[in-house]
Amino acid sequence: MSTYKNNNNEDIMRILLVEEDGALNDEVKKGLKPYGYTVDRVTNDKVTLSYIKTETFDVILLDLNLSDPHGLSILHKIRAPGITTPILILTVSQSAKERIKVLDNGADGYLTKPFDLDELSARIRALQRRSANNRASPVLTYEDIELNPSLFTVTLKGLAISLSRREFSLLQKLLENAGHVVSRDLLTQCLYGWGDEIDSNTLEVHVHNLRKKLGNPHFIHTVRGIGYRLVREPI
């Protein structure tokens, strides 16, 4: 997904940080906030795999020097089921042999501690550009709407429409499940990090804005108490 900053300063990218050092976690989370990144943190490999399989992350920052299990073991477990989310290894090692090992085992890059937050942000952007170029993201079409995940573009009847990052993610998830109900919980997970404070009506506000921009209040149907789904005919 392309790096994007909207006028409302909404977070543009969701990062998963697998790190045991609480102080470093706070520094990274606070330091990346101005760049528009939401950073969520886990330490256990089972929890890591569970979240990666059920939630959407743009980049994973993985500390190689975890105590139990080692970061290399977690790297293997992430890549084994075919998860392709870009992974940037964080390590204190200066060994070229170790860096080669993590790259050969599925990492997309590495950064030696201590690191500069500007450089970390640049590495994340580079991984995102590479992922967008290499990923076969099909263009999603439904009725008169066409959404291109790689180019971060949406057209309605051939004309470009401007969406915020969260509106884009919301529409993409609904298009990927066209005709089926998408739960409120899943949509909220796609739009926000775990630590974000979310008002009870926040999702409704995004849906309302999306309906308005699409010019059809009936296009996104509310399934009361469950979630939302796209419909072809007004209800």
Side-chain angles (χ1 to χ4, degrees):
M1 189 170 294
S2 303
T3 300
Y4 176 84
K5 190 79 169 179
N6 62 66
N7 294 330
N8 296 321
N9 286 322
E10 291 186 343
D11 295 323
I12 59 171
M13 199 178 294
R14 194 172 180 203
I15 308 297
L16 180 65
L17 174 61
V18 187
E19 169 64 66
E20 293 177 336
D21 187 338
L24 179 60
N25 169 68
D26 292 340
E27 179 182 355
V28 170
K29 188 167 186 176
K30 182 178 179 180
L32 290 182
K33 184 70 174 179
Y35 295 96
Y37 303 151
T38 289
V39 180
D40 294 319
R41 177 201 178 201
V42 294
T43 58
N44 180 278
D45 66 323
K46 293 182 180 178
V47 175
T48 302
L49 290 174
S50 173
Y51 285 135
I52 293 173
K53 290 178 179 178
T54 58
E55 301 193 29
T56 302
F57 297 97
D58 295 287
V59 170
I60 298 170
L61 305 179
L62 173 60
D63 182 12
L64 188 64
N65 306 103
L66 298 173
S67 56
D68 185 25
H70 189 265
L72 188 60
S73 174
I74 295 180
L75 176 62
H76 286 156
K77 292 179 180 180
I78 293 175
R79 289 302 188 224
I83 295 171
T84 59
T85 306
I87 298 176
L88 179 65
I89 296 293
L90 307 178
T91 176
V92 295
S93 175
Q94 299 290 337
S95 167
K97 183 177 180 180
E98 185 169 84
R99 295 197 295 266
I100 292 172
K101 180 185 293 186
V102 297
L103 293 174
D104 284 343
N105 282 274
D108 297 278
Y110 62 85
L111 188 59
T112 305
K113 300 178 183 178
F115 48 78
D116 183 86
L117 286 172
D118 287 335
E119 182 179 3
L120 175 59
S121 178
R123 294 291 187 95
I124 292 173
R125 292 195 301 271
L127 288 181
Q128 275 305 101
R129 288 194 299 270
R130 187 188 313 165
S131 177
N133 290 334
N134 294 336
R135 185 173 59 238
S137 299
V139 173
L140 301 173
T141 59
Y142 191 83
E143 296 291 296
D144 298 321
I145 295 173
E146 183 175 286
L147 181 147
N148 190 316
S150 297
L151 299 179
F152 202 91
T153 58
V154 177
T155 60
L156 176 64
K157 296 181 179 179
L159 299 177
I161 61 175
S162 177
L163 300 182
S164 72
R165 166 64 166 87
R166 286 183 174 136
E167 290 165 355
F168 185 94
S169 297
L170 174 60
L171 180 59
Q172 180 176 351
K173 183 59 65 174
L174 291 171
L175 287 171
E176 289 172 345
N177 296 274
H180 302 280
V181 178
V182 185
S183 71
R184 290 178 52 85
D185 287 344
L186 179 57
L187 291 174
T188 301
Q189 289 171 5
C190 291
L191 302 183
Y192 294 94
W194 304 322
D196 291 344
E197 295 184 5
I198 307 172
D199 294 335
S200 59
N201 68 335
T202 298
L203 181 58
E204 283 78 4
V205 171
H206 288 307
V207 171
H208 171 78
N209 292 338
L210 191 53
R211 284 170 173 157
K212 186 176 181 180
K213 291 183 178 182
L214 295 175
N216 184 347
H218 304 289
F219 183 66
I220 301 174
H221 176 57
T222 301
V223 181
R224 192 172 299 278
I226 301 177
Y228 299 90
R229 68 181 176 91
L230 299 185
V231 294
R232 294 184 181 276
E233 299 295 336
I235 293 178

